[in-house]
Amino acid sequence: MKALYDQLSVSCSKKTTQLYSTSFSLGIHFLQPKFHAPIYSIYGFVRLADEIVDSFHGYDKHGLMAKIRQDTAEAIAAGISINPILNSFQHVVNQYGIEWSLIDTFLKSMEMDLGQKQHSPDSFQEYVLGSAEVVGLMCLRVFTEGDTAQYEDLRYYAMKLGAAFQKVNFLRDLKADYQDLGRSYFPGINFTHFTSTDKDIIQQQIQQDFEQALIGIKKLPASSRRGVYLAYYYYQKLFLRISQTPAEKVMDARIRIPNHNKIGLMLRSLLRHQLNML
């Protein structure tokens, strides 16, 4: 009967992904079906921790982060959790050999958000490593299905893709992060007087990350390449929209691609994938 509970657990992670990220849900849809549940489960776990630091205002966030850390470790060790999202996540961790060091690094970055409002170059790199790059590595463990040599070959590129996605998110969410949450992620930038020069410096870094990431996407197994490319293509288009928006407007409103446009973007990316990558 536990199979029914495991099915419920994956459904909770899938619903979490669909509710919080239309673009990632579409990307997951175009992975081979065997990867749907594992990637939904990873995203559900990441989202759960992120919500603690971003949304649970008025609650004991430090206590909740300590609890999710403990509950996650116990779920992995026991092979079960009464929290459905943690139950689906532990199954992926145990099935694909995802290292605790990746999970620990991710949780440490989430914990940084509880107190650190500004970043130095070193702390920024540490934060991006934990909040995004290791998440890419968790997914890569799934995509390479135990092939250690392939995992090591693609490791650098998966980290670059995670970094590119995260930095685009930072640019997209400047208003919410800086004005609402009081966070300033990019080091050395004065967001009270955010200039086009500041924006160009950030965008050059992101473009370099994207260029490196694409090399790795082309080397992914066919079973995951198309879905990852879809996510890459979507973020490239979002990045282009942000690049074309003046610095002052980026600080005034969240830049986004409307949901009704995302399907068209995904279809165009599929065509490009068939023409350029296979």
Side-chain angles (χ1 to χ4, degrees), residues 17-258:
T17 308
Q18 292 172 332
L19 184 63
Y20 282 98
S21 180
T22 307
S23 54
F24 275 110
S25 296
L26 287 169
I28 292 171
H29 180 75
F30 287 101
L31 297 168
Q32 276 196 0
K34 64 181 177 180
F35 293 141
H36 290 185
I39 302 304
Y40 282 134
S41 298
I42 291 172
Y43 184 91
F45 169 73
V46 169
R47 187 75 255 166
L48 186 64
D50 199 43
E51 283 305 296
I52 292 174
V53 298
D54 282 353
S55 302
F56 294 178
H57 309 310
Y59 297 92
D60 179 9
K61 294 183 180 183
H62 287 276
L64 290 170
M65 281 304 303
K67 181 165 179 54
I68 194 174
R69 172 181 286 279
Q70 179 180 345
D71 289 352
T72 301
E74 290 177 353
I76 294 168
I80 193 170
S81 173
I82 59 172
N83 179 323
I85 288 180
L86 291 186
N87 186 57
S88 66
F89 181 64
Q90 67 77 22
H91 181 76
V92 177
V93 171
N94 286 314
Q95 180 178 358
Y96 291 95
I98 295 174
E99 307 93 310
W100 173 256
S101 61
L102 298 181
I103 301 165
D104 178 61
T105 302
F106 166 72
L107 291 172
K108 283 179 179 175
S109 281
M110 295 300 97
E111 290 160 358
M112 289 173 74
D113 272 336
L114 296 179
Q116 189 159 357
K117 299 300 183 183
Q118 294 186 324
H119 285 274
S120 66
D122 286 345
S123 69
F124 177 71
Q125 179 53 48
E126 180 184 356
Y127 184 84
V128 172
L129 170 66
S131 65
E133 293 178 6
V134 298
V135 178
L137 294 179
M138 291 182 207
C139 294
L140 185 61
R141 278 292 184 203
V142 173
F143 297 148
T144 54
E145 300 183 272
D147 188 331
T148 304
Q150 188 177 52
Y151 174 84
E152 292 300 331
D153 183 46
L154 295 172
R155 178 185 177 92
Y156 169 80
Y157 306 107
M159 293 171 73
K160 286 297 179 182
L161 184 62
F165 286 177
Q166 182 66 294
K167 291 172 189 176
V168 170
N169 286 341
F170 287 158
L171 267 183
R172 179 196 63 190
D173 298 334
L174 276 183
K175 181 179 185 295
D177 285 337
Y178 185 68
Q179 296 180 14
D180 300 339
L181 298 174
R183 298 176 189 158
S184 176
Y185 287 109
F186 294 108
I189 304 293
N190 181 359
F191 288 103
T192 340
H193 303 288
F194 187 53
T195 68
S196 57
T197 302
D198 295 329
K199 185 165 168 283
D200 287 343
I201 291 171
I202 295 169
Q203 288 170 176
Q204 288 170 15
Q205 297 172 9
I206 296 173
Q207 185 57 42
Q208 290 170 3
D209 288 338
F210 271 126
E211 289 170 1
Q212 291 297 302
L214 185 59
I215 296 171
I217 293 173
K218 292 179 178 180
K219 296 170 70 175
L220 278 169
S223 54
S224 57
R225 191 187 314 135
R226 183 170 61 174
V228 176
Y229 182 71
L230 283 169
Y232 167 89
Y233 186 83
Y234 166 77
Y235 265 87
Q236 273 275 21
K237 292 303 179 184
L238 177 59
F239 177 54
L240 178 62
R241 180 169 290 203
I242 294 171
S243 300
Q244 295 171 341
T245 303
E248 62 273 13
K249 290 190 177 180
V250 171
M251 284 298 298
D252 284 343
R254 189 179 194 261
I255 309 300
R256 56 178 296 161
I257 295 174

